[in-house]
Amino acid sequence: MKRKIDFEHDDFINTPWYYKLFSFFLYWFVAVPVLLIIKTFFLRLKVKGKANFHRVKKQGAIIVCNHVHPLDSPIIAMAILPTRMKIVSLEDNFYTPISGTLIKGLGALPVPKDYKYLKAHLELLENLVKDGKKVLIFPEAHLIKRCQELRDFKTGAFWVAVSADVPIIPMCYTYPDNKRLTLNILPAVYSKKGEDYKQLTKRVYNIMNEFFNNQMSNTNIQNLAEESDEPCIEPLEEEVMKKKHA
């Protein structure tokens, strides 16, 4: 049985040198070649707006995106190469034989199921982006394949961005008339003076929603059923905010 993650003592960033070496080879010599083949020849995906990412590639940032494809995380990872990002993943995913080791080896961070560890998890993400890293969070929280609307956003990603004073990089998948998937990288959004995380959440949502609706205006495809719970840090929301300001 795989050892249960110890969120009080495990260090998910400063791993031993041999695990870093394993992660390096797994990512660059296995995952990247396979995913590039899938992206190029099977999904035939388009990526637009790379210049928007290049403008902020040297600083920490939170990447947010609509959650509409089982491979949307690795697609984004391939789109921003050679930059490498951190992805949050459900704790249970790390207990799966073989794939759990691969997930950890590829640099994913576990989201604790126990709420008492969620504040520390948010602070870990905050420190990562302050240190110049990119972190991907899906504010819709759940995967719905090719959903025909942008769903309401949870606020955790935006709390991290405001607390760390880093930009949000909005990315948006579009697929008008259910045609080829396109990943659109929009201009970075910075929090304004006096703007709190809820206001930033609303502003980024409005930007992405307007873009999504404009791109999808010709589609009449019905929503597909919700697929599964996906990486999400937002369940803590109000609980953590109250503790922070208590």
Side-chain angles (χ1 to χ4, degrees), residues 113-139:
K113 293 188 293 184
D114 191 332
Y115 275 27
K116 70 180 181 181
Y117 299 124
L118 285 173
K119 183 176 184 293
H121 178 74
L122 273 187
E123 291 173 347
L124 170 64
L125 300 183
E126 182 182 345
N127 290 333
L128 279 172
V129 294
K130 281 182 177 178
D131 196 37
K133 303 295 191 298
K134 303 289 192 300
V135 176
L136 170 64
I137 300 172
F138 294 102

Side-chain angles (χ1 to χ4, degrees), residues 9-160:
H9 302 102
D10 284 354
D11 191 336
F12 305 106
I13 304 301
N14 300 309
T15 52
W17 67 268
Y18 53 84
Y19 209 96
K20 290 180 179 178
L21 186 63
F22 166 72
S23 177
F24 177 85
F25 278 97
L26 180 65
Y27 188 81
W28 290 108
F29 294 98
V30 179
V32 168
V34 170
L35 290 171
L36 283 175
I37 291 172
I38 293 173
K39 169 181 170 288
T40 305
F41 298 105
F42 293 92
L43 295 177
R44 298 176 61 242
L45 177 94
K46 296 179 182 178
V47 179
K48 296 182 178 181
K50 283 189 176 183
N52 291 323
F53 179 81
H54 291 156
R55 294 187 183 99
V56 292
K57 70 177 182 179
K58 293 184 179 180
Q59 65 183 105
I62 296 291
I63 300 171
V64 297
C65 190
N66 54 334
H67 205 2
V68 296
H69 193 281
L71 293 178
D72 47 17
S73 296
I75 288 171
I76 293 172
M78 296 303 99
I80 66 173
L81 286 174
T83 300
R84 191 171 174 182
M85 65 182 181
K86 289 289 186 180
I87 304 169
V88 295
S89 184
L90 295 174
E91 177 184 341
D92 286 342
N93 292 339
F94 288 76
Y95 301 139
T96 305
I98 301 178
S99 63
T101 301
L102 294 176
I103 289 170
K104 184 178 179 182
L106 291 171
L109 300 172
V111 183
K113 293 188 293 184
D114 191 332
Y115 275 27
K116 70 180 181 181
Y117 299 124
L118 285 173
K119 183 176 184 293
H121 178 74
L122 273 187
E123 291 173 347
L124 170 64
L125 300 183
E126 182 182 345
N127 290 333
L128 279 172
V129 294
K130 281 182 177 178
D131 196 37
K133 303 295 191 298
K134 303 289 192 300
V135 176
L136 170 64
I137 300 172
F138 294 102
E140 292 178 315
H142 301 284
L143 167 63
I144 299 180
K145 289 183 180 179
R146 292 183 179 248
C147 185
Q148 299 302 300
E149 64 181 1
L150 195 68
R151 290 161 281 149
D152 291 342
F153 284 178
K154 305 295 184 181
T155 58
F158 306 92
W159 181 88
V160 174

Side-chain angles (χ1 to χ4, degrees), residues 191-204:
S191 60
K192 299 177 180 179
K193 185 177 181 180
E195 186 177 43
D196 64 24
Y197 69 95
K198 290 184 178 179
Q199 293 169 325
L200 180 61
T201 303
K202 183 176 181 181
R203 186 156 63 92
V204 172

